[in-house]
Amino acid sequence: GSITIVKTVVGQVPPAEWVYTGDLGEFRLPAAGGTSEPFTGLVADDYTITETAKPGYVPSVTCDSGETGVGSVTVNLQPGENVTCTFTNTAQPGSITIVKTVVGQVPPAEWAYTGDLGAFTLPAAGGSQRFDNLAAGVYIVEEDVVFGYEAAVVCDSGETGQGGVNIDLQPGEAVTCTF
């Protein structure tokens, strides 16, 4: 018999390939997905295949012989049976929270922001706004200039800027940026 592994990715492709271990040995499939060469000449037996998890992705696996799993599956291979198992990983949405802190005197008007999250404001004395269910990608957030104030921004994911920032949001990531 034989077992073939198919990799499918829904959403953003991760930066590194997918790693599998188990009774078929260690093997890898491309980050964007693909199909393994069939593992042939297998005797009837139980074969467990496990995919190494990646943060921000929800795994599932379904085989055309009926077996299913989350990050792992055990195939009960029958004599002469050819089984294909598809591992699917779905990139999870992330979130970005923008926090405004004010050092010194509070300005007379709200703080205004523009960019990929849309136009929004935060209270003059400071505050925060969270944006949920965001697809992975780069998000630009700019704070409108207020005369007499110097703007700097730092994000807990490492990005920094002066008056604006490019946030590289990864699948499932929750980023907070403080202006």
Side-chain angles (χ1 to χ4, degrees), residues 110-114 142-151 162-164:
E110 295 180 315
W111 298 93
Y113 298 85
T114 57
E142 301 282 341
E143 182 179 75
D144 288 359
V145 175
V146 174
F147 181 74
Y149 291 86
E150 189 175 304
Q162 297 295 320

Side-chain angles (χ1 to χ4, degrees), residues 93-112:
S95 67
I96 296 174
T97 301
I98 303 299
V99 177
K100 178 62 188 180
T101 58
V102 180
V103 177
Q105 184 175 345
V106 174
E110 295 180 315
W111 298 93

Side-chain angles (χ1 to χ4, degrees), residues 156-172:
D156 60 8
S157 52
E159 296 94 342
T160 61
Q162 297 295 320
V165 67
N166 293 355
I167 304 160
D168 186 9
L169 186 67
Q170 298 302 307

Side-chain angles (χ1 to χ4, degrees), residues 9-138:
V9 178
V10 178
Q12 179 174 319
V13 173
E17 60 195 358
W18 299 91
V19 178
Y20 299 85
T21 56
D23 297 323
L24 302 176
E26 181 176 312
F27 62 98
R28 298 167 187 271
L29 289 175
T35 303
S36 72
E37 292 298 316
F39 292 89
T40 59
L42 301 176
V43 298
D45 202 351
D46 286 342
Y47 293 88
T48 299
I49 303 105
T50 301
E51 179 181 77
T52 302
K54 292 187 185 292
Y57 292 86
V58 172
S60 67
V61 57
T62 304
C63 301
D64 60 9
S65 53
E67 295 92 349
T68 61
V70 178
S72 177
V73 68
T74 299
V75 175
N76 179 256
L77 191 65
Q78 300 301 307
E81 185 179 27
N82 299 312
V83 174
T84 298
C85 296
T86 302
F87 283 79
T88 301
N89 291 79
T90 304
Q92 294 303 288
S95 67
I96 296 174
T97 301
I98 303 299
V99 177
K100 178 62 188 180
T101 58
V102 180
V103 177
Q105 184 175 345
V106 174
E110 295 180 315
W111 298 93
Y113 298 85
T114 57
D116 297 321
L117 299 175
F120 63 98
T121 60
L122 291 174
S128 67
Q129 182 165 341
R130 181 180 166 116
F131 299 87
D132 288 313
N133 295 315
L134 300 175
V138 176

